[in-house]
Amino acid sequence: MEISTIHALVLDASSNDAEQTLNVLRNTGVAVRAAQVVNEDELHDALERKNWDVFLARNNCPQLSVSRVAELIQESGRDIPIVLITEAFTPEKITEALASGIQAVVPEDHPDLLRMTVMAELQHLADRRRRKRAEGQLAEAEKRCELLLANSRDAIAYVHDGMHIYANQSYMELFGYDDWEELECIPVLDMIAPAYQLDFKEFMRQQSRKPDETPFEFEGVTASGERFSAVLSMSPASYDGEPCLQLLIRPKTDEHALAEKLTELASRDQLTGLASRDYIIGQLTELIHAAQDTHKISALAFIEIDQFHEWEDTVGLSGADEIRKQVAGWLEEHAREDDVVARVGDESFALLRKHCVPDELAKEMEHWLSQFSSLLIEANKKTLSGTLSIGIAPVSERLPDAAEAINNAHSVCVRAQSGGGNRVRVFSAAVDSTNIDQQQKKLLRQIQDAMEAERIRLMFQPIVKMHGENKEFFQVQVRVLDDSGEPVLLKKLFPIVEGSELALRLEYWVITQAFKALKEHRESHRSQTQFFVQLSAAMLEHDKTVDFILKTWKQSKLPANAVLFMVNETDAATRLKRVIHLGEALGKQQMRLALSHFGGSLSSETILQHVPVEHMPYVQLEHDIVVEDLQQDEGMARLEKLVQLAKQHERKIIVPMIENAQMLAQIWPLGVDYVQGYYVSSPLPHLYFDFGEASF
């Protein structure tokens, strides 16, 4: 199971013990987001705010027992496994805990067992969630199968103990019945001419022992007594959850004509009339073999509708089929006469253009995007419009087979969709090859896409002093320009996989550009502007981070206090020794750190105790706490507590997320030092901001 982040609730009277418990999980390399609760009100609030993955509990809170936790979670309807950590690890206590609804019990001071137990419960949780999704998909598939059976031109029936339990319209028409009730009580044997009944019984016995695809030729008897020659195929099936046999009956025709008809049917998609997946695979195979001699390149485009699943939820199954048919028709209209247009998946299409390089096809398909976006699709009395994502891959002698060509084109299409859709992308072996690790591949795609379009930008958000003489502080933020040119949060478009080489390379770029921008601004405006630059967990773990920062700083020739490096509190809590070392190493050059998301873990005070104020003079409060405390009626208890804690340790306090005058008025009496947020200024693409006008 692949886990990116664990969202954990903790019941523990001691914050230090709770943090140690969470560190057991963090030491596995998995990010942990946690909240501590000690009473029912806090638990209710936590359950309303977020979906949680696991509940880690010690039975040491007088206001809230673990058995009560199990009751409240069950009442909430949430599926959250509870792991009890206890000193009383006896059969009686374990039995009592399991009976109360607790999923697992772990003895105190066994961190490895705790880690393994939690990971096992998370695996069970993931399995349950997958099962629920699968059950929903199965129900949807069964509905679709029923619809396909009902509309099939083939005569199909389900039989149990020799009696019909289902027959589609084609089956009833073949045997001359108008109403299912007429057919329901008739044994299958009565619909077979007497001369063939003994052979049919023997055929049934053979099929019950060893099912295969052997056809049975016979004469059928219609309701009016007429006879016709037919071929029957039989296979095991289930209907309404019960085992049965599926009968497929076709009237016997001229063998040659039948073979031609079957070939034609196999080459066409029955819903859309486009070429089938098998047909385009055959065409690709021929091109790959021919390219061994001709060395000519062809292009394969994989095409998907970006909004298809949203539309399917809106218009239902029959409406979705209408969408497929209309899109298929549109693709045929825009394709060249010698192009092969095929349906290769549920909502996926492909276009094969022979003897054409991918870049040429991409230029043409760029125009397709705008044309498709103006197309109005009518389905189930609803009008829809949407966009396409198109991935284009080469077809050449270098490919091992047709499947690889389709995989390559599909891989590029996924990259186009992950970039926001409504775009055409061309295959790159370094990014889209199926041999690259999937997570690394995803990162490569996303970053390359942004780099190719030159969409990564630095933005600068002012931090304004509340009292006294102002300082020119900006926090450096990274944005990616979306298709309309608007800056969007980097993580909103693609979360960076921490620890990857590319993530570090990108962060190196951010730091380098920040020093460069600051140097140019200070020299041109003779200012004392200072930057706050965030460091990721990957940078904290990277052994060359200090060397890189010092080298970049020395090359910039900026004062040592010009840039402060921010460390996320959650990252600092699990890498405290590295943060201490970083503070000491930078402190030797009079450079400093700042603690961001202060209050975001259970180790706020521990960090302030171990990292001296001269190395980390600033703290920036946790964004969620600021927003929640300033918007909730019960007041600012957490916010006030964090401000008091920071003041006790002589830190300067930055309050982010100040969005309006009311929020500013609420924090004014707390005596914080700096504020930041859209009420002050949104992140700017430049460093022009009047700090004098913005002072309070």
Side-chain angles (χ1 to χ4, degrees):
M1 178 184 65
E2 183 177 312
I3 301 174
S4 56
T5 303
I6 298 173
H7 297 277
L9 277 174
V10 183
L11 176 67
D12 199 323
S14 167
S15 296
N16 288 335
D17 289 346
E19 192 64 37
Q20 290 301 316
T21 300
L22 295 172
N23 285 340
V24 171
L25 303 182
R26 289 175 177 138
N27 289 338
T28 65
V30 179
V32 179
R33 300 289 180 265
Q36 184 180 10
V37 297
V38 294
N39 56 53
E40 286 195 21
D41 290 339
E42 291 180 354
L43 178 56
H44 280 298
D45 178 62
L47 292 176
E48 290 175 1
R49 280 191 291 113
K50 187 179 292 187
N51 287 327
W52 302 93
D53 300 319
V54 66
F55 197 114
L56 307 174
R58 284 186 173 86
N59 218 348
N60 59 7
C61 293
Q63 296 176 307
L64 183 61
S65 67
V66 181
S67 59
R68 181 57 179 158
V69 167
E71 291 176 8
L72 293 174
I73 290 178
Q74 186 174 7
E75 290 173 5
S76 73
R78 299 293 181 86
D79 185 1
I80 308 173
I82 304 172
V83 178
L84 173 63
I85 305 167
T86 179
E87 294 180 354
F89 192 72
T90 64
E92 293 77 18
K93 289 293 184 181
I94 296 172
T95 302
E96 179 185 344
L98 297 178
S100 69
I102 295 166
Q103 278 68 34
V105 184
V106 179
E108 190 77 58
D109 298 328
H110 282 74
D112 289 340
L113 181 57
L114 173 62
R115 174 182 56 79
M116 295 171 67
T117 301
V118 170
M119 299 309 285
E121 289 301 326
L122 290 172
Q123 178 67 68
H124 299 330
L125 178 64
D127 291 342
R128 291 194 294 274
R129 289 173 176 173
R130 278 195 293 268
R131 179 179 175 179
K132 287 182 181 178
R133 289 195 297 269
E135 287 173 346
Q137 292 167 353
L138 177 60
E140 204 55 34
E142 287 176 343
K143 289 180 184 178
R144 183 169 179 77
C145 286
E146 290 176 7
L147 184 63
L148 290 172
L149 282 171
N151 295 320
S152 175
R153 295 178 181 177
D154 290 326
I156 300 173
Y158 288 154
V159 176
H160 182 67
D161 290 339
M163 302 296 291
H164 292 92
I165 58 175
Y166 170 84
N168 68 356
Q169 188 64 33
S170 297
Y171 188 92
M172 290 192 291
E173 289 175 358
L174 179 64
F175 285 95
Y177 290 91
D178 298 323
D179 194 329
W180 160 247
E181 291 182 357
E182 299 175 18
L183 181 64
E184 187 176 11
C185 299
I186 298 177
V188 175
L189 197 61
D190 289 357
M191 303 174 72
I192 295 175
Y196 294 87
Q197 288 183 0
L198 287 176
D199 291 338
F200 180 69
K201 290 179 180 178
E202 179 60 28
F203 175 74
M204 291 283 287
R205 281 193 289 269
Q206 291 175 357
Q207 289 295 310
S208 64
R209 290 195 297 266
K210 188 177 180 181
D212 58 29
E213 297 180 1
T214 302
F216 175 71
E217 296 185 11
F218 70 104
E219 282 189 359
V221 181
T222 68
S224 61
E226 296 180 5
R227 298 189 180 191
F228 63 93
S229 297
V231 178
L232 179 149
S233 298
M234 182 182 297
S235 59
S238 65
Y239 188 77
D240 282 343
E242 297 294 329
C244 61
L245 294 174
Q246 177 183 280
L247 305 185
L248 173 63
I249 300 177
R250 295 189 179 96
K252 191 175 181 182
T253 59
D254 178 72
E255 294 292 336
H256 180 69
L258 178 60
E260 287 186 348
K261 183 66 176 176
L262 290 175
T263 301
E264 181 185 349
L265 289 173
S267 67
R268 310 306 297 178
D269 175 63
Q270 298 304 299
L271 176 67
T272 63
L274 297 178
S276 67
R277 181 184 178 93
D278 288 342
Y279 181 80
I280 200 170
I281 285 177
Q283 293 290 300
L284 287 166
T285 302
E286 290 180 10
L287 279 175
I288 293 169
H289 289 161
Q292 304 292 336
D293 299 323
T294 64
H295 305 294
K296 289 184 177 179
I297 295 176
S298 300
L300 177 68
F302 196 99
I303 305 165
E304 288 199 341
I305 309 163
D306 293 327
Q307 297 79 15
F308 182 82
H309 293 293
E310 299 171 20
W311 290 352
E312 190 174 34
D313 291 340
T314 302
V315 302
L317 291 174
S318 59
D321 282 343
E322 286 299 312
I323 293 170
R324 294 181 181 96
K325 288 189 280 190
Q326 291 179 56
V327 172
W330 186 89
L331 291 172
E332 279 197 307
E333 288 176 9
H334 287 73
R336 294 182 183 177
E337 188 175 346
D338 56 349
D339 288 341
V340 178
V341 184
R343 181 180 172 208
V344 294
D346 194 39
E347 71 275 5
S348 305
F349 303 88
L351 182 144
L352 174 61
R353 180 164 295 176
K354 299 176 182 179
H355 307 154
C356 169
V357 296
D359 287 338
E360 290 179 6
L361 182 58
K363 289 179 182 178
E364 180 177 330
M365 288 195 161
E366 288 285 356
H367 299 295
W368 286 27
L369 298 181
S370 59
Q371 293 169 358
F372 184 83
S373 63
S374 63
L375 175 69
L376 297 180
I377 298 173
E378 190 77 16
N380 200 9
K381 299 181 181 180
K382 294 181 174 63
T383 302
L384 309 167
S385 63
T387 57
L388 297 176
S389 288
I390 304 175
I392 302 176
V395 180
S396 68
E397 73 270 19
R398 298 181 63 181
L399 292 173
D401 51 37
E404 186 74 7
I406 293 177
N407 287 341
N408 288 344
H410 174 255
S411 181
V412 191
C413 182
V414 171
R415 174 154 64 92
Q417 288 176 321
S418 67
N422 193 29
R423 62 193 65 207
V424 179
R425 289 292 178 262
V426 177
F427 179 80
S428 167
V431 175
D432 302 301
S433 171
T434 55
N435 295 323
I436 301 174
D437 174 79
Q438 290 300 312
Q439 193 69 9
Q440 181 74 356
K441 180 197 230 179
K442 181 180 178 182
L443 177 65
L444 281 162
R445 287 174 180 163
Q446 294 166 336
I447 292 181
Q448 173 160 323
D449 197 38
M451 292 292 192
E452 284 175 356
E454 297 183 349
R455 293 187 291 123
I456 296 183
R457 296 283 190 276
L458 292 189
M459 302 286 283
F460 311 95
Q461 187 169 36
I463 299 174
V464 176
K465 202 167 192 313
M466 286 281 285
H467 309 281
E469 184 181 353
N470 232 323
K471 291 187 177 181
E472 295 185 11
F473 282 160
F474 288 95
Q475 182 175 352
V476 177
Q477 300 179 1
V478 182
R479 295 288 188 272
V480 182
L481 302 185
D482 64 15
D483 293 337
S484 64
E486 291 297 316
V488 180
L489 279 172
L490 187 73
K491 288 187 177 181
K492 186 174 181 181
L493 286 188
F494 49 87
I496 297 301
V497 180
E498 291 195 350
S500 72
E501 182 180 346
L502 275 173
L504 289 171
R505 195 184 310 166
L506 181 61
E507 196 151 7
Y508 275 16
W509 178 85
V510 170
I511 293 172
T512 302
Q513 294 301 312
F515 271 106
K516 180 180 177 182
L518 183 58
K519 179 177 175 61
E520 291 175 355
H521 179 74
R522 287 176 67 119
E523 289 181 350
S524 61
H525 291 76
R526 296 183 180 179
S527 71
Q528 301 299 312
T529 301
Q530 295 171 268
F531 277 179
F532 286 83
V533 177
Q534 186 76 45
L535 296 180
S536 69
M539 287 293 282
L540 292 179
E541 294 177 355
H542 189 45
D543 293 334
K544 296 183 179 180
T545 293
V546 172
D547 293 339
F548 173 76
I549 289 175
L550 294 178
K551 179 181 177 181
T552 308
W553 164 64
K554 289 177 181 177
Q555 289 175 345
S556 72
K557 298 181 180 178
L558 285 167
N561 68 348
V563 176
L564 295 95
F565 291 95
M566 306 182 84
V567 178
N568 187 304
E569 184 181 285
T570 302
D571 297 335
T574 55
R575 301 164 180 84
L576 187 52
K577 284 189 176 181
R578 284 189 169 270
V579 173
I580 294 170
H581 170 71
L582 179 63
E584 291 172 347
L586 296 182
K588 292 178 181 178
Q589 305 297 330
Q590 304 305 310
M591 302 179 77
R592 294 167 297 168
L593 300 175
L595 187 64
S596 67
H597 299 82
F598 180 61
S601 77
L602 305 179
S603 301
S604 304
E605 186 166 12
T606 302
I607 295 170
L608 297 187
Q609 289 172 343
H610 285 85
V611 185
V613 64
E614 57 267 23
H615 294 161
M616 186 183 281
Y618 295 89
V619 296
Q620 179 194 58
L621 298 186
E622 165 62 39
H623 300 63
D624 291 344
I625 293 177
V626 173
V627 173
E628 290 173 8
D629 273 31
L630 296 185
Q631 291 181 351
Q632 292 177 352
D633 295 335
E634 52 264 31
M636 303 182 294
R638 290 182 299 173
L639 197 59
E640 292 174 348
K641 183 178 178 181
L642 287 173
V643 170
Q644 292 171 4
L645 178 62
K647 286 183 176 181
Q648 289 172 9
H649 290 270
E650 301 178 331
R651 312 296 165 128
K652 301 292 185 182
I653 304 163
I654 303 170
V655 181
M657 306 301 291
I658 300 301
E659 309 297 301
N660 51 56
Q662 181 182 351
M663 296 176 76
L664 182 66
Q666 286 176 276
I667 66 163
W668 185 272
L670 300 182
V672 301
D673 301 281
Y674 297 89
V675 291
Q676 175 187 10
Y678 276 73
Y679 182 67
V680 177
S681 172
S682 62
L684 304 170
H686 50 70
L687 291 166
Y688 305 120
F689 182 78
D690 192 336
F691 284 89
E693 286 290 328
S695 59
F696 302 106

